[in-house]
Amino acid sequence: IAMGRNLLFDISSSILKTLDSDSMENKDLNKKLLNAASQSKSIQEAIGYIEKILMEVCSHYEKVQNEIEKTSYYQEVNAHIDENYENPDLNISLVAEHFKLTPSYLSKLYKNESQESILNYINRVRVQHAKDMLANTNLTNHEISLKVGILSDTSFNRVFKNIEGITPGKYRKNCQ
């Protein structure tokens, strides 16, 4: 029984780590888990308590999931990217971290709304700003690539050509 209780405490701890530590639900759940692990007269009774508690946790996450899916991230993600496109570290993971979601889940939500990937939008914003600088400044391609958050000239040329169909140099010539 002592070993079973230790195992139940470990399970309880793992469950609590997945929940928001400040919520009232978590405090109630913490009490329930401690009671299940410490006051159960048998392993079967403790397992029954844990099963009920896991059902509560699953129900909680289902509610959270439904709320997330109701939220439109498309405009918020675009605004965040528009404000931070100059950051060379800007990527799907960084954007997802900002919204407290996993990268794969945010990508799925975004693509469902926009029909394009977050990375594609980041690149389109960077290229749009690069086009403006190519047409209106005397900055070198390297300087422009750094200003739009692309550290490598090769990557800048590749991204620009993928979106515009021509290299940055040819674009600049066409603007003159």
Side-chain angles (χ1 to χ4, degrees):
I1 294 220
M3 185 183 288
R5 283 193 174 132
N6 287 338
L7 181 59
L8 290 173
F9 277 118
D10 287 344
I11 292 169
S12 301
S13 175
S14 296
I15 292 170
L16 290 173
K17 286 178 186 175
T18 65
L19 298 175
D20 179 18
S21 62
D22 295 331
S23 73
M24 282 304 290
E25 292 172 2
N26 189 24
K27 291 175 184 167
D28 292 340
L29 190 58
N30 191 14
K31 288 178 189 174
K32 289 178 184 178
L33 287 168
L34 288 174
N35 287 340
S38 63
Q39 296 179 0
S40 299
K41 293 182 175 55
S42 69
I43 297 294
Q44 287 74 22
E45 185 180 345
I47 289 171
Y49 285 132
I50 296 292
E51 285 176 351
K52 288 178 186 176
I53 292 166
L54 283 173
M55 293 300 286
E56 287 182 41
V57 170
C58 290
S59 175
H60 170 75
Y61 275 116
E62 189 174 337
K63 288 176 192 173
V64 168
Q65 182 76 17
N66 288 336
E67 288 303 312
I68 287 172
E69 289 177 358
K70 289 178 189 174
T71 303
S72 172
Y73 285 96
Y74 175 71
Q75 291 178 346
E76 291 179 50
V77 168
N78 286 356
H80 181 72
I81 291 167
D82 292 343
E83 291 172 12
N84 296 287
Y85 73 91
E86 296 167 323
N87 179 354
D89 295 327
L90 185 66
N91 60 28
I92 296 167
S93 295
L94 197 62
V95 174
E97 184 179 311
H98 175 78
F99 290 98
K100 295 177 176 52
L101 298 170
T102 65
S104 60
Y105 189 61
L106 180 61
S107 293
K108 176 186 165 200
L109 291 174
Y110 186 87
K111 193 156 191 159
N112 285 343
E113 287 187 64
S114 71
Q115 306 306 312
E116 82 174 319
S117 71
I118 293 173
L119 181 59
N120 192 56
Y121 184 75
I122 292 170
N123 287 336
R124 281 194 314 108
V125 168
R126 287 176 168 164
V127 166
Q128 191 59 45
H129 287 280
K131 285 170 48 179
D132 183 50
M133 287 185 254
L134 287 165
N136 299 310
T137 71
N138 291 325
L139 295 172
T140 66
N141 287 2
H142 178 71
E143 291 169 325
I144 292 171
S145 72
L146 294 176
K147 284 189 175 285
V148 298
I150 301 174
L151 300 178
S152 157
D153 291 344
T154 305
S155 294
F156 178 60
N157 286 333
R158 180 180 38 78
V159 168
F160 194 96
K161 188 170 184 176
N162 282 344
I163 291 175
E164 289 300 314
I166 58 174
T167 64
K170 285 183 182 177
Y171 181 84
R172 178 174 266 164
K173 285 180 186 175
N174 290 344
C175 291
Q176 294 172 347

